[in-house]
Amino acid sequence: MRADRDGLMTHRLLTFVAEGRARIRRVALELLDQLCFPPSDWPLVADAAERALDDVDPSVRLAAARLLVKAAEPARAMSAFNDSADPIVRTALMEVMPWQRIRRHRAILERLRTDPVAAIRFLANIALLGRDESPVRDAAIRADLEASIAALNTPGSAGQRWAWALAGVDREEDCCLFAERLTDSAGSESVRLEGVRMAAAAMCEWRAAPARVTPMLIRILQEEPSGVRAAALDALAASVTASRLAADELAALADDPHLGATAATALGSAGDHRAMPHLVRLLLADSDQPRLTEAFRVLARAGADPEAPVTAARRILATHPHHSEPERAMRVLAAFGPGAAAAVPELIVRLQQAVNDTPDWAMCVLGRIGPAAAAAIPYLREYPIQAATHALLEITLDRAPADRSLANCPERLLRHGRFAMDLLNWLAGNGGLTARQHRQLRSLFETPGSTRVATAGALWLHEGPAAAEELLEVLPEYLSDDRYALAALRVLTAMGPHAGPILDRLDRFVAARQRTRFHSGARDAAAMRMDEALVTEAMALRQRLGRITTC
């Protein structure tokens, strides 16, 4: 369809927009929506979407409205909005309308502040928010919030949308204050829930927000069980900073039959050792907590005793010896590295009885364990694959296989493969590079793209201060990249006083009130936690550089 937008496949999919069943009509519109990137100007699809605005099914009309805004010129979408009397269609159009591309949009929005539909008024006032706002508009938004909760669809809830609008004009204090007011115990559950969501959105936008809203969220945890209480826990768990501030309350909830899994995972992700027995139980119970592995990884870095989690992972591996690797158990063992040496017998069984020819996870874990996994060497040598070669390097510390492998690669690697880069990084920290390997590393570092930051650490180990100027030119550019920012900061930390020229930039980064805007564009909890990790690393580097400068 992208190759021929008005071709056979497009016409075939459009036939389903008029098909008998509502679910089929809705899915066809949603598929077209996914294939339509604004500003699209796709008249054939816009015509179908506009016809579907009169569909008998509300979910079809909703999908059609969203698609129309993507496929049509803004003036056409605005015309459909003005012509419609359907609150569902008008609200859906209002939610996704590109107001900045509509002529005299502020005058239109001012008029819509008195619209008969509460959700329309709410969205109009949200869109008109300014930095220095009068209490009148804030009061109007609050007045229409409860009636708008059920009417809004995407993206975000009413509370989140209000928070995002306040973030757009950097009204941090107001956002946190409104969140606290909405969560007042006298309010309805739906409004209080929006207050919690507003607090969670504030934490994603501003670095100081966790300290401001955590006491309020803790108070909600003391209440009787409810959806608001569960949402407050989710908000606290989403931020490592908030989880640390609420550590005692999370520890008290770790045994709760409904909230315990979330509380324990958040506590572990904050590095609190009290979480360990609860996390082990969750691991053995095959919990679906998405951040469970992350919690084990943080605790391993915090020096937690590996005995209980390693024993639990061994039990899981022994329970299913003939099946493909239980990924979570393997990840837990990998997190503890040498501390997981007791699991070597089970990992050898995985190698002997693998259901496929590439039991990569077992090899990865054995490599993380290192020399203590020597018993696995004969079994690893039976596998002529890269994962086995890398594991043998970590276990034997014998560089000969890496030397042979790189000798078979060209001197100009360019993008010759991740494995060659891994070998060069390992050799740089284990005996150093030969002259030819140095040239191979240089060829990767000089290739534009993420390979530069991925090889920066090895370049520093091999060249030292001679590479400082180049590294200081490259690494700061990755501090807004959620995939490589931490790696860049760690290389800068290794450079010590030679990273001094970026002091001013570090100071600005640490002092920033708002969260880092990563290249991915995400404004979610994962981006917030990445920013929290970056701030911690940057502050440690800044303190080190400050001490060095003072000396």
Side-chain angles (χ1 to χ4, degrees):
M1 290 178 66
R2 286 178 179 146
D4 185 4
R5 287 174 22 124
D6 293 344
L8 176 63
M9 290 306 299
T10 301
H11 282 277
R12 185 172 183 183
L13 187 53
L14 285 172
T15 62
F16 289 103
V17 174
E19 199 267 347
R21 287 173 291 170
R23 180 174 176 272
I24 297 297
R25 299 197 299 276
R26 175 180 57 78
V27 169
L29 290 164
E30 290 171 347
L31 285 170
L32 288 163
D33 190 292
Q34 293 170 26
L35 290 161
C36 189
F37 297 97
S40 176
D41 188 21
W42 198 354
L44 181 66
V45 170
D47 291 345
E50 191 163 14
R51 288 192 296 270
L53 294 179
D54 295 323
D55 196 279
V56 295
D57 186 273
S59 69
V60 176
R61 299 200 300 275
L62 181 64
R66 295 174 189 160
L67 176 59
L68 180 63
V69 174
K70 276 192 175 183
E73 286 293 317
R76 182 174 180 180
M78 196 67 228
S79 177
F81 176 85
N82 291 331
D83 292 344
S84 178
D86 182 356
I88 292 175
V89 169
R90 295 179 72 240
T91 302
L93 290 169
M94 182 85 179
E95 284 184 277
V96 294
M97 193 74 72
W99 290 108
Q100 296 302 321
R101 296 176 57 214
I102 292 175
R103 195 166 161 271
R104 299 183 67 249
H105 66 276
R106 290 195 66 84
I108 296 171
L109 289 167
E110 286 288 354
R111 174 175 56 80
L112 292 173
R113 291 183 62 208
T114 58
D115 193 271
V117 178
I120 300 292
R121 297 195 302 269
F122 177 84
L123 292 170
N125 279 307
I126 289 289
L128 288 167
L129 272 178
R131 186 178 295 273
D132 300 316
E133 196 57 57
S134 69
V136 175
R137 196 181 305 280
D138 292 330
I141 292 171
R142 173 63 185 91
D144 286 325
L145 182 137
E146 187 162 12
S148 302
I149 292 171
L152 299 184
N153 297 281
T154 185
S157 69
Q160 288 171 318
R161 280 178 167 272
W162 193 1
W164 293 340
L166 291 167
V169 292
D170 197 21
R171 291 174 59 189
E172 177 182 3
E173 289 295 319
D174 287 339
C175 187
C176 294
L177 178 62
F178 294 147
E180 290 184 43
R181 290 176 178 173
L182 292 178
T183 56
D184 187 278
S185 58
S188 67
E189 180 164 342
S190 62
V191 169
R192 298 188 73 214
L193 187 58
E194 292 307 312
V196 172
R197 289 170 175 163
M198 198 170 188
M203 290 195 290
C204 288
E205 295 290 342
W206 293 284
R207 289 174 174 172
R212 173 71 184 266
V213 302
T214 292
M216 173 264 288
L217 295 171
I218 288 175
R219 287 195 297 273
I220 296 175
L221 290 186
Q222 317 304 325
E223 299 175 359
E224 293 298 314
S226 69
V228 177
R229 182 174 180 242
L233 175 60
D234 288 339
L236 288 169
S239 163
V240 175
T241 304
S243 295
R244 287 178 180 144
L245 293 172
D248 290 342
E249 289 75 17
L250 294 175
L253 280 174
D255 285 319
D256 186 283
H258 303 294
L259 305 182
T262 300
T265 303
L267 192 65
S269 297
D272 194 309
H273 291 213
R274 288 177 290 179
M276 184 61 84
H278 306 286
L279 297 178
V280 169
R281 286 198 294 272
L282 292 172
L283 178 65
L284 289 170
D286 195 23
S287 168
D288 60 357
Q289 282 294 308
R291 294 172 60 206
L292 181 56
T293 305
E294 176 188 335
F296 279 113
R297 193 161 49 242
V298 172
L299 286 172
R301 288 198 297 266
D305 185 347
E307 182 178 358
V310 170
T311 300
R314 293 179 68 190
R315 187 185 307 175
I316 293 170
L317 294 182
T319 303
H320 305 287
H322 302 294
H323 295 173
S324 58
E325 293 84 0
E327 186 174 323
R328 181 173 282 171
M330 291 290 192
R331 289 184 182 274
V332 170
L333 293 173
F336 286 95
V344 169
E346 287 79 12
L347 294 168
I348 289 174
V349 171
R350 309 299 297 187
L351 290 176
Q352 290 176 303
Q353 301 179 347
V355 297
N356 53 51
D357 294 330
T358 55
D360 289 348
W361 261 115
M363 294 176 184
C364 173
V365 177
L366 289 165
R368 295 284 182 88
I369 292 171
I377 291 174
Y379 305 96
L380 287 167
R381 285 180 172 152
E382 295 178 7
Y383 289 89
I385 59 175
Q386 294 176 354
T389 300
H390 198 278
L392 286 167
L393 287 176
E394 299 285 0
I395 295 169
T396 66
L397 304 180
D398 178 8
R399 61 177 291 146
D403 287 332
R404 287 194 298 269
S405 181
L406 288 169
N408 292 324
C409 294
E411 193 166 297
R412 293 285 299 170
L413 288 173
L414 300 178
R415 298 187 181 276
H416 196 70
R418 177 76 193 188
F419 185 58
M421 184 162 56
D422 288 345
L423 293 180
L424 291 166
N425 283 331
W426 188 87
L427 288 170
N430 291 272
L433 305 175
T434 66
R436 185 177 187 276
Q437 289 165 356
H438 178 215
R439 291 192 293 272
Q440 289 176 315
L441 178 67
R442 267 286 171 185
S443 72
L444 287 172
F445 180 76
E446 291 164 5
T447 302
S450 59
T451 303
R452 305 194 76 183
V453 71
T455 53
L459 194 69
W460 173 255
L461 286 173
H462 189 82
E463 296 187 16
E469 185 176 350
E470 288 178 281
L471 292 173
L472 290 177
E473 182 181 343
V474 170
L475 294 175
E477 299 304 316
Y478 286 89
L479 295 181
S480 296
D481 189 309
D482 51 341
R483 294 173 300 169
Y484 296 105
L486 282 174
L489 271 175
R490 285 164 185 165
V491 176
L492 290 167
T493 300
M495 291 171 64
H498 298 283
I502 68 163
L503 273 173
D504 288 346
R505 181 160 184 169
L506 276 180
D507 288 341
R508 290 194 301 271
F509 176 79
V510 171
R513 292 174 47 252
Q514 293 179 307
R515 298 285 184 193
T516 305
R517 282 287 169 259
F518 295 110
H519 297 330
S520 65
R523 299 168 66 183
D524 55 14
M528 170 178 61
R529 291 191 294 272
M530 174 57 71
D531 179 75
E532 290 173 329
L534 283 177
V535 170
T536 300
E537 292 276 347
M539 289 179 67
L541 173 56
R542 180 62 184 86
Q543 290 168 2
R544 180 180 178 186
L545 292 178
R547 287 196 298 272
I548 292 169
T549 303
T550 301
C551 293

